[in-house]
Every structure is written in C-alpha cells, then in structure tokens.
Amino acid sequence: MSSYWGKNLKLTIFGESHSRGIGGVIDDLPAGISVDEAAIKEMLARRATGISKIATARKEPDIPEILSGVFNGKTTGTPLAFVIYNSDQHSSDYDNIASTARPAHADYTGFVRYGGYNDYRGGGHFSGRLTAPITFAGALANSWLESKGIYVAARIKSICGIEDEDKNIEQLSADEVRELKAKPFPTISDGQGQKMFDCAMEAKNDLDSVGGVIECTIINLPPGLGDPIFGAFESRLSELLFAVPAVKGVEFGAGFDIADMTGSEANDEFYMEGENIRTKTNYNGGVNGGITNGMPVTFRVAIKPTASISRPQNTVNFKTNTDAELVIKGRHDACITLRAVPVIESCAALCAMDFLLGGKKIDE
C-alpha cells in the first residue's frame, strides 16, 4: 500500500477515519531541527473539523502526540513518530454504505481493490482525515523553511466562480503571508471571501456542496532544485498534491492559459536584479526543465465538491449488482476547500524541504 512519500525525507502515514487514531512516521530528518509544537498545532487547527459553518460538525481536537524522534525540542535524527487520536466517530452513520457505493467516493473501488476487507466507515484510509498527518509533517517542514527565509503562502482563489482579488500572491511579504494564514477565510479580499462563503452556505442549505480553487506559492526558493524528466520539481510536488483526496487538477504558472499565448508572451525573459538572475514574468511557475529557476514556484489546485451530500442519489449495490438509491448520513463539509488550504501548504513545504535536503542548497 503506497502510504509513504519522499526521497531525502520519508513520510509514512497510517490509520483510518474511524480507527483508534491516525498518524505518521518521518524518517531521515537531520538531527538538530527545531520542532515548534505550537506551530504544528496551529497548522492542524486550520485544517480541523468544526472551524466554520461550511465545515463538517465532527469535533476532533487533533492534538498530536509525538512518540519518538524529538528530545529537548530538537529532532534526534531517528524516526519521528506521532499519533493523532480519533475521538468523535459516528460509525453507525455508515452502516448503509457497507455494500452501497457513494457516488464519487472510494467505496466501490476500495471494495474491489481490497476484496471487501477495507474499512469503509468515514471513508477509511481513503478519507480526507488522513490529510492531518500530512499537515503535521508539513507544519514541521514549514517552520524549517521559514528559518531559512523561505515562505509558503496559499489562498482560496475561487469558489462558485467567485474570484478573489486579482493580486499577485508571489509578491506577498513574510508579514502578509502570516496575516493571510491567520484569516478564518484565507482570501486577500475579505469581501470576495464573504461572497464565496455565502455561496457555500447556499449549497449547504440546498443539501449540496461546492468545490473551489486554491492558489499556492513558495517564495525565496533557490534555483537548481529538481531533475529533468521523472524527477521534475513539478512531478514530485504533484504526486503529493494528488494524495489529497479532493484534488482533481493541478497547474503551474499560467497553467492551461499558457496554451493560448504566443511564445513571445509566454517566455519569461531573464534580467539581472543586483547579483540575482530573475525573470520579468513567471508564466512558467518558477520551474524550467523540471528545475527551480529562483522565481516563486506558483501553482493552483482544483478541489472537487464534497462528494457526500444529503440529497438522494442513484447508485448500485456492488454485492448484489443491483441498482439502488442512497441517502448519505453523517456530518460532512459543504465546501472542503477552506480546510484544504493548510494541507496544500503542507504539501508544498514538504516537497521543498525534501529537495533542499537532497540538493544541499542551503545550510541545515
């Protein structure tokens, strides 16, 4: 089961949505890295359940317990193991999906892949709850990056077709990045954010859900990280991003819009900024040939509407191979995009740290 990721640091995650707990093990962390437990808890709190009226009402404190690999606030160089206990499972809400596939969920595919032995409650190991261990590891990586002057910033770019303010997220200062992360609804324009929230609430009241787009950037990343072809920075980061269950699309720089540009428009021309080589534009997202060029690595992810909705839906009973109608019970997000923002930041931070540890581009 491919529940691990990494080359120069390795993250393994474990658990199911309704098991006793979830957690992870981080291998190959250098000794002596500061572990800011307050920053980790803060990042997990941004991802936690019950943070908004458009989020699931499930109440999980998500207080991590570090089991090994940290002594006196520093990594020891041995595996860092941690656990986050589950405490608010309503497993009976899922009795009716033991053999009835929720549309757009992994109930059917998980049943086929694991021969019916998979834990389907709350989505089991396929659940978005498994992004909490990713967020733990990403928070640790984020603190390490910030100590090197590297910042990861993300915002909700759109929900329901409502766009955030057209401001270049790549140009945010360190203080502006922290201010954005502290917002209960991370958009640059609070007014546009309120419109997005209102649309998500309308969907909730209509027993439906909505998706959205998250834009993220890694600022001050040095040039030279990544490898051509299979080891591209974009490839490795995308692998992490698609580990987030709700992600259905990823684009870097101008993304699909670059197909409508001419070469003279899309080419990011180089120039000297003091002793640093920069580009006048960043339509290629800070990566050329799979290798960072020193500009911010900027990307966007498409977050699908939450699959669990309260409307009756057509489906099948995959044990009797008969058509069926399903009404999903339980507590679910009307828009998962809000809680996905710190998860996407965590993926970016983890990927950047993994490359930096291998590239030795900055001092440890």
Side-chain angles (χ1 to χ4, degrees), residues 72-235:
N72 290 332
K74 303 280 187 178
T75 57
T76 63
T78 57
L80 192 164
F82 62 94
V83 64
I84 301 169
Y85 291 106
N86 293 326
S87 61
D88 188 26
Q89 309 98 305
H90 289 185
S91 297
S92 61
D93 287 343
Y94 296 90
D95 289 346
N96 65 332
I97 67 163
S99 59
T100 308
R102 291 173 296 173
H105 271 284
D107 301 326
Y108 170 63
T109 54
F111 175 83
V112 173
R113 174 67 176 81
Y114 297 107
Y117 291 101
N118 57 300
D119 182 349
Y120 56 81
R121 300 168 303 167
H125 194 68
F126 297 96
S127 171
R129 180 125 185 82
L130 272 294
T131 61
I134 296 174
T135 304
F136 176 103
L140 188 152
N142 186 71
S143 295
W144 183 79
L145 292 174
E146 288 194 354
S147 73
K148 312 299 180 185
I150 299 169
Y151 299 91
V152 177
R155 63 161 169 175
I156 298 176
K157 191 173 188 301
S158 68
I159 289 175
C160 299
I162 301 166
E163 294 279 342
D164 190 18
E165 178 183 329
D166 188 19
K167 183 175 181 178
N168 192 340
I169 192 174
E170 300 174 356
Q171 297 176 352
L172 296 181
S173 66
D175 287 341
E176 288 173 324
V177 169
R178 296 188 183 99
E179 181 181 340
L180 182 62
K181 291 183 179 185
K183 288 186 175 186
F185 201 91
T187 51
I188 293 173
S189 167
D190 293 337
Q192 291 300 98
Q194 184 62 51
K195 292 177 183 178
M196 297 180 202
F197 176 85
D198 291 343
C199 182
M201 281 299 297
E202 288 180 17
K204 178 180 180 179
N205 293 334
D206 200 27
L207 305 182
D208 215 335
S209 64
V210 293
V213 174
I214 296 171
E215 183 176 50
C216 186
T217 186
I218 313 172
I219 302 169
N220 296 334
L221 204 59
L225 301 175
D227 296 299
I229 317 300
F230 299 122
F233 194 97
E234 299 122 314
S235 301

Side-chain angles (χ1 to χ4, degrees), residues 327-346:
V327 176
I328 297 174
K329 302 177 184 178
R331 302 156 295 173
H332 308 283
D333 298 79
C335 180
I336 197 65
T337 308
L338 172 61
R339 294 176 54 220
V341 171
V343 183
I344 299 306
E345 291 175 6
S346 296

Side-chain angles (χ1 to χ4, degrees), residues 26 28-35 68-81:
I26 310 173
D28 296 336
L29 280 173
I33 290 178
S34 295
V35 177
S68 67
V70 177
F71 184 66
N72 290 332
K74 303 280 187 178
T75 57
T76 63
T78 57
L80 192 164

